[in-house]
Amino acid sequence: KTNYYFNKTNIYTINCGSFDDYETALILAETVKKQGGAGYVFFNNKKYNVLLSGYAKKDECLSVIDNLSQNGVDATMLCIELKEMSANFSANNEEKVQIKNAINTFFDCYESLYSLSIEFDKDVLTKSEVLDEINKLSNKVTIQKNAFTTKTDTNTNASLVYLKIYLDKLSDYLKNLSSCKENFSAEIKNTYFQSLMCYYDFRQEIS
């Protein structure tokens, strides 16, 4: 068996509102998207939370919240906590390599999209340049997914089945982003949350 260790990771998000029902949260989410925010609905602590953006550093998140507050926007910080954990996979040496690469794909994708989001919002990159990078990222994920599937196609370990499911989801999210026609800045942010949640949900499934 292969033991894979997951590091503790915190993502500090800006929460624009918390609601008891999904439909109400979705109304705010659409408004947030039109204003350039992620508008990602995250269910946590029995509430549907509408997320504007996410940050690797707590002080960056709090700084943005402070700026929003000065402009009359009410927002709070919501920390998405990925606790440290380990998981065992029955795998041979070739499978081990692909399992590790596949697991890393989710967070690598989140970090890439996070960087592209910032560079696009700061006009460092044009939409065309960002789309080129997204297409490269999408192709990279497809190659990784295919390599993982090829090397593990005879392995019936349930955790690997879940991993394949979330790789498929991630691939679909990136393809949707590459064909985005409007609210491009918002959709980049929404997709980096989707990538992060693939990682989050996969860890929940195998914990």
Side-chain angles (χ1 to χ4, degrees), residues 166-183:
Y166 287 110
L167 283 172
D168 284 338
K169 284 188 176 185
L170 178 60
S171 183
D172 288 342
Y173 292 146
L174 288 170
K175 287 174 183 175
N176 290 338
L177 179 60
S178 66
S179 60
C180 176
K181 302 297 183 184
E182 58 183 19
N183 298 330

Side-chain angles (χ1 to χ4, degrees), residues 33-72:
K33 282 184 180 181
K34 289 175 183 176
Q35 296 172 345
Y40 186 85
V41 180
F42 175 57
F43 187 68
N44 182 64
N45 288 335
K46 299 180 180 180
K47 293 284 186 180
Y48 293 95
N49 305 281
V50 180
L51 305 184
L52 176 72
S53 53
Y55 303 87
K57 295 180 180 179
K58 184 177 181 179
D59 57 346
E60 289 181 16
C61 182
L62 291 174
S63 176
V64 175
I65 289 173
D66 185 55
N67 288 336
L68 289 170
S69 177
Q70 291 178 25
N71 287 283

Side-chain angles (χ1 to χ4, degrees), residues 137-153:
L137 187 60
S138 181
N139 290 335
K140 183 179 177 181
V141 170
T142 299
I143 290 169
Q144 179 55 62
K145 183 184 71 170
N146 291 340
F148 169 79
T149 301
T150 300
K151 292 296 182 182
T152 63
D153 61 345

